[in-house]
Every structure is written in C-alpha cells, then in structure tokens.
Amino acid sequence: MAATLAEAALAWKICSSYVLVMQATAFDSSAPLGARRAIVRRYRDEIELVELAWGLRNRDPNERPFRFVRAEGRTFPSHRCLIPASEFHVTTDKKSYRFALDDGNWFYLAGIYRPATIDWPESYAVLTIDANPDVARYQERQGAVLLRRQTMDWLDMTIPEDQLLKSLPARSFDVQEIGGGRKTSGPVKPGQRMLGL
C-alpha cells in the first residue's frame, strides 16, 4: 500500500532535508526475482515510500526478466527511484562479502521502476556502473551508490546521469567477509540511526 512520505515516515523537515524514520537493510543482489523491498520515489508532486517487487519484465516476451540495468550511455527521464540500503552483498568463489560505507552511513542505490501491467506487478531494477576500487577486487560492476546529498538530484533530475552515477573513490567501503568473521578493511564505524533523504 502506497503512502506519502509524511504518512509513512512522519517526516520532519530538518536543515532542508527529510528524515525517514525507518531502517535500511542489507541489499542482497542474489535475492530472488520478485522479492519485495521498500523504495523511495517521486510520484506526482510527492515523495513516497512504497514496497515494490524486484525485477522488470523484458519488453520482449521471449527474453527473461531482469534485475539490473547498465547505466552508462543511457538517460532515465522518468520513473526514477532510490533503494535504501545499509550495505550490499557480493558473492564470489563461494565466499560472501558485505560492503558498507566506511563512515557508517546508509546509502541509496539508484534505480528505475515500472507501473504494474495486467500480468506483472509494479517493480524496480537497480542501475549498475563500473565497480569502485574496493568492489573491483570481487566483481567488475556494482549498483550505483548515491549518498544522501545526491538523492534529490537523482529524483528531481537536476544533474545529468553521467555526472551523478559514478563510482565512489577507493576506501569508501568497509569490506567484511560474511560468516568468516575476518575483517578485510578498516575499523567498524558507528551506524546511522535514521535514514535521511
């Protein structure tokens, strides 16, 4: 059920930005097609928090649905969304790793959504870019990470995609092996308490 930001999050206007009272969760790129997740989008004149299915139906009915869209060389003039995340996971060579921002803040993955059709639910996909140096040790591409100061630029289309959807600099992520207990980068930073937009 869709709700406006004010209804769903009791948003307060603080220093020209909204604070959502919600918890971001880990983004698991191996989650199944159709997994539901909260996204933030502009709908008409409101910013709203809604839960959508992950994965877009291919326009060619003979092709499989997809969960990721390569961002380079494309424009996204409508249906933009943000996927709140506290971290994202990468699995390679039978090991899994978590990537969280080194400063402990939550972030957003840039995405696009499509309205529901007769035989497919309203759903979203994550935009991908070349991996930053931290992630490139494990895979070539990653979801496009947006920091809080960039969220409205994405939703309101005030900065061109090629200037906004860029890899973060090296050492932006704290990388940890999941389940192994072994840290692969710096000290754990205190986490962010509320998600800001």
Side-chain angles (χ1 to χ4, degrees):
M1 174 182 229
T4 67
L5 182 60
E7 294 168 338
L10 302 175
W12 296 287
K13 185 111 176 179
I14 299 175
C15 299
S16 300
S17 64
Y18 291 97
V19 175
L20 299 177
V21 180
M22 64 173 280
Q23 290 199 354
T25 58
F27 182 82
D28 185 0
S29 60
S30 63
L33 185 70
R36 299 191 66 80
R37 187 171 181 94
I39 67 147
V40 178
R41 68 180 179 188
R42 182 170 291 288
Y43 185 72
R44 298 188 177 121
D45 292 333
E46 297 289 325
I47 294 177
E48 65 179 4
L49 179 68
V50 294
E51 187 179 83
L52 298 186
W54 189 27
L56 300 177
R57 184 175 199 173
N58 201 304
R59 296 195 192 277
D60 179 348
N62 298 320
E63 296 291 327
R64 293 174 26 173
F66 55 93
R67 299 177 296 174
F68 297 98
V69 175
R70 183 180 284 262
E72 293 90 350
R74 296 183 179 185
T75 59
F76 304 95
S78 66
H79 295 89
R80 292 180 177 193
C81 66
L82 298 163
I83 300 94
S86 57
E87 61 190 51
F88 62 88
H89 297 169
V90 169
T91 300
T92 180
D93 297 329
K94 299 183 181 179
K95 290 185 179 181
S96 293
Y97 301 89
R98 81 171 39 99
F99 293 80
L101 286 179
D102 189 54
D103 62 8
N105 280 320
W106 296 339
F107 55 89
Y108 298 85
L109 297 170
I112 56 172
Y113 71 93
R114 287 190 190 153
T117 62
I118 292 172
D119 55 353
W120 199 264
E122 188 170 35
S123 53
Y124 74 96
V126 173
L127 301 181
T128 66
I129 56 174
D130 286 335
N132 94 320
D134 305 328
V135 180
R137 294 178 50 204
Y138 306 94
Q139 63 184 27
E140 294 178 4
R141 299 191 64 75
Q142 69 173 72
V145 171
L146 296 174
L147 304 176
R148 185 172 46 217
R149 68 179 180 269
Q150 300 171 305
T151 58
M152 297 313 294
D153 291 328
W154 175 247
L155 291 178
D156 291 340
M157 298 175 261
T158 56
I159 295 179
E161 290 90 339
D162 63 344
Q163 293 177 28
L164 194 58
L165 303 178
K166 293 183 171 186
S167 298
L168 296 176
R171 295 181 292 285
S172 293
F173 294 106
D174 176 55
V175 183
Q176 295 182 9
E177 185 176 338
I178 298 173
R182 183 176 63 86
K183 289 188 75 62
T184 57
S185 68
V188 175
K189 306 290 191 302
Q192 176 179 333
R193 299 190 140 205
M194 289 187 286
L195 185 62
L197 178 65

